[in-house]
């Protein structure tokens, strides 16, 4: 720095505090925001930087924080900024002088005469100078000077101050870290308490990340015992000149954030003693959100001795308590701004009232007596009594004040503050008007998928008047306990039964109404029944009278539909607002089936199954009989007709009545030598068997013997006598009707 050049630049940082969390002062923006800071002499805002001096001789400029900062509570702090020193300089001396960052108890307020990089004579505090002029050689240099003391050397130049333990002078950095140039250089200055010597500060200085200084500095001169100061920057030119500029300056002095600086709690004094006792620690949560994270110390205003027993502090008159809050991690500075102001005043509880709900017309309301606004003081003790005489006598104290059941009444409370002050008050208990509800019924049509259930719109139940709030429950217990609320009240599926509606008024009082649910069962026609008709026939379906409307599957909307044949039909029958779907089937009558036919001689017996008896029989489809036996039936092909009680188109069976041979004379005369049924050879399953009179089979006629028998058995003639024959086959029709033809034959053989 150039001797005898009076120059001083103070750059203090615009205060933009983080809300309730920290104090960070900075100079940023374009243009730079200097709110809360003082510009001194030539210092001006120039776009995004502060120009401390112009490139002229004998110029001086500074910027400083408008209010002092107390670092006595800070274990750590940090300052960072960018600086630029440029300009044309002077022919004789080149560029000069340099600038200083400082924390001073007595900062400059105007032009400063004399040397010292713009630091006033006898200024005390911490000074970090960036010197570009060698006063010995009057040449250029780049040195850092540090002084933690008083600038009281000859010419006020900290370049020559060598107070032991309080100063530092770097080597000339002009080759590695030249201070003069067109670009900005970034500086960081960190300070923290030296734990080995708490009165010292360890100061670390970095330029563009390069560590320049790192040592403990002891305060000297006027810096000893210094409790507060101003942050700032100063610059000066003398016989040499340079432009000095600062930007992006930030000072981090974060202290414990507090919610409020001053707390004025209500306190009182005991009339008997004139004193009161208070727990000062009970107010810690009003200063910070998490009191357990900090250390609190309490002082009487003006005293440096901590209060020994803050949990039981005794006072009599108005008393001011200073509170210091310390961060035990040393991350934040101590906050000594807290104040507890104790101003004792007489205590008086106030009369109050409570209004409760006579829910569901129970006759009483349940009160939380602690809700009565008899005082706003925290930490009081309340005792409740049903009468004033009980309060005075200390008898019949109410033991369940949080759930006190009572009708309209007056009770009394004794309130005792934390300081032992006592007052009584009256609490009037009132009852809100009851909520008026009515039981009702909802009827709803059955669900087609499950006729025992219906979908009910519970919101349509008219149980009260006016726009009241309603909740729905499946049982009375649920309604009282607020459990199992019905959330689908507009489409509640249930059988016949009951539900409950809890109705609330604007006061939150309620009453419970019962709603009876009735499932309207389906109503069907009693006269519409299934029918059986002939396949080719038509009939009429009639649902009967008494329904609101009809809708048939045929599209008809009449009570009955006619000319309908075999099939399944449905009809929607409306009763009230409910519609029942009823189906009806017209079945085709089952045709009877000829199970078999027996032919014996000229007698034909017809056997029938299926269909619906009684049956009728005919051989010409004209003349009908009830008997299944026909006599004197002619030989040859014929037909049998059968019908049942439905008298549908009869079934028709073709049969063959074989030619009857009663006698054979197997004497080879060519007349009646054999019985021959080869004419039946085309019948299905044809069987011809000959039996003797004892029932023993003696001959079987088949294709191999051309269905003939000549009165022999096993190659020999059978004795003259009577023999029985049985012929069976299936007629060639769709039913393969079995036919059995039997009879006797006489065989006459020559003995």
């Amino acid at each position: 720095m150039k001797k005898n050049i009076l120059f001083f630049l103070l750059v203090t940082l615009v205060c933009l505090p983080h809300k309730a969390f920290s104090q960070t002062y900075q100079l940023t923006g374009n243009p730079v925001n200097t709110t809360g800071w003082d510009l001194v002499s030539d210092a001006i805002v120039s776009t995004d930087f502060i120009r401390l001096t112009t490139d002229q001789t004998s110029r001086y400029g500074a910027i400083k924080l408008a209010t002092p900062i107390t670092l006595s509570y800070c274990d750590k702090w940090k300052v960072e900024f960018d600086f630029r020193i440029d300009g044309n300089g002077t022919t004789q001396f080149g560029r000069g002088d340099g600038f200083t960052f400082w924390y001073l108890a007595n900062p400059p307020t105007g032009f400063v005469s004399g040397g010292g990089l713009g630091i006033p004579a006898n200024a005390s505090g911490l000074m970090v100078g960036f010197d570009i002029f060698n006063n010995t050689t009057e040449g250029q240099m780049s040195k850092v000077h540090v002084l933690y003391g008083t600038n009281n050397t000859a010419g006020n130049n900290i370049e020559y101050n060598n107070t032991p333990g309080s100063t530092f002078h770097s080597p000339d950095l002009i080759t590695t870290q030249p201070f003069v140039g067109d670009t900005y250089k970034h500086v960081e200055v960190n300070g923290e308490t030296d734990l080995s010597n708490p009165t010292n500060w360890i100061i670390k200085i970095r330029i563009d990340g390069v560590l320049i200084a790192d040592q403990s500095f002891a305060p000297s001169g006027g810096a000893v015992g210094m409790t507060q100061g101003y942050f700032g920057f100063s610059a000066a030119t003398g016989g040499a000149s340079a432009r000095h500029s600062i930007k992006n300056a930030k000072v981090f002095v974060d202290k414990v954030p507090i919610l409020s600086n001053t707390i004025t709690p209500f306190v009182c004094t005991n009339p008997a003693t004139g004193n009161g006792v208070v727990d000062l620690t009970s107010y810690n949560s009003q200063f910070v959100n998490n009191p357990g994270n900090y250390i609190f110390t309490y002082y009487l205003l003006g005293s440096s001795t901590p209060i020994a027993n803050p949990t039981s502090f005794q006072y009599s008159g108005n008393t001011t308590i200073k509170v210091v809050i310390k961060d035990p991690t040393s991350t934040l500075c101590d906050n000594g701004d807290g104040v507890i102001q104790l101003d004792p005043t007489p205590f008086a509880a106030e009369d109050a009232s409570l209004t409760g709900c006579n829910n569901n017309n129970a006759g009483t309301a349940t009160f939380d007596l602690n809700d009565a606004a008899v005082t706003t003081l925290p930490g009081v003790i309340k005792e409740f009594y049903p009468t004033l005489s009980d309060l005075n006598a200390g008898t019949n104290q109410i033991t369940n004040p949080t759930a006190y059941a009572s009708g309209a009444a007056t009770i009394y409370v004794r309130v005792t503050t934390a300081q032992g002050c006592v007052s009584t008050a009256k609490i009037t208990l009132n009852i809100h008007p009851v909520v008026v509800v009515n039981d009702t019924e909802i009827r709803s049509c059955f669900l087609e998928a499950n006729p025992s259930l219906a979908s009910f719109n519970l919101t349509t139940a008219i149980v009260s008047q006016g726009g009241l709030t309603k909740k729905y429950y499946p049982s009375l217990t649920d309604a009282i306990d607020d459990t199992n609320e019905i959330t689908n009240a507009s489409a509640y599926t249930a059988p016949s039964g009951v539900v409950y509606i809890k109705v609330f008024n604007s006061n939150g009082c309620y009453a419970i109404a019962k709603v009876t649910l009735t499932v309207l069962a389906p109503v069907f026609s009693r006269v519409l029944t299934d029918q059986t008709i002939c396949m080719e026939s038509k009939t009429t379906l009639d649902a009967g009278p008494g329904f609101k409307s009809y809708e048939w599957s045929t599209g008809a909307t009449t009570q009955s539909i006619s000319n309908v044949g075999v099939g399944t039909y449905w009809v929607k029958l409306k009763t009230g607002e409910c519609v029942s779907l009823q189906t009806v089937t017209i079945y085709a009558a089952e045709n009877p089936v000829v199970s078999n036919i027996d032919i014996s001689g000229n007698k034909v017996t017809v056997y029938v199954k299926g269909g619906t008896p009684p049956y009728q029989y005919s051989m010409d489809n004209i003349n009908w009989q009830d008997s299944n036996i026909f006599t004197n039936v002619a030989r040859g092909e014929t037909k049998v007709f059968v019908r049942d009680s439905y008298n549908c188109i009869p079934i028709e069976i073709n049969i063959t009545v074989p030619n009857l041979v009663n006698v054979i004379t197997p004497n080879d005369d060519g007349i009646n030598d054999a019985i021959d049924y080869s004419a039946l050879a085309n019948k299905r399953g044809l069987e011809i068997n000959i039996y003797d009179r004892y029932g023993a089979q003696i001959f079987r006629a088949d294709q191999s013997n051309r269905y003939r028998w000549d009165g022999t058995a096993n190659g020999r003639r059978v004795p003259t006598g009577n023999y029985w024959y049985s012929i069976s086959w299936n007629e060639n029709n769709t039913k393969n009707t079995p036919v059995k033809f039997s009879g006797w034959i006489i065989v006459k053989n020559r003995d």
Side-chain angles (χ1 to χ4, degrees), residues 593-598 605-609 617 628-629 642 737:
V593 177
V594 175
S595 58
N596 62 288
I597 294 176
D598 284 348
T605 302
V606 181
Y607 294 95
V608 179
K609 64 181 179 179
Y617 308 86
N628 66 331
I629 299 173
V642 180
T737 306

Side-chain angles (χ1 to χ4, degrees), residues 113-130:
S113 62
L117 302 178
I119 305 169
N122 296 315
S124 295
L126 175 68
M127 293 151 270
V128 180
F130 297 82

Side-chain angles (χ1 to χ4, degrees), residues 606-629:
V606 181
Y607 294 95
V608 179
K609 64 181 179 179
T612 304
Y615 306 110
Q616 287 189 315
Y617 308 86
S618 175
M619 298 197 74
D620 58 7
N621 200 21
I622 297 174
N623 300 301
W624 293 86
Q625 64 183 42
D626 294 331
S627 173
N628 66 331
I629 299 173

Side-chain angles (χ1 to χ4, degrees), residues 11-14 26-34 39 44-52 63 80-84 86 182-184 243-250:
V11 180
T12 47
L13 309 171
V14 176
Q26 58 186 6
L27 280 172
T28 57
N30 188 0
V32 178
N33 185 351
T34 59
L39 290 166
I44 64 169
V45 173
S46 179
T47 63
D48 64 342
F49 64 92
I50 301 295
R51 192 203 68 198
L52 301 175
I63 187 167
E80 60 180 82
F81 55 89
D82 298 330
F83 77 86
R84 180 183 62 189
D86 59 1
D182 294 332
T183 59
Y184 282 90
R243 182 176 66 162
H244 300 81
S245 304
I246 299 292
K247 73 174 184 178
N248 296 329
K250 299 177 183 177

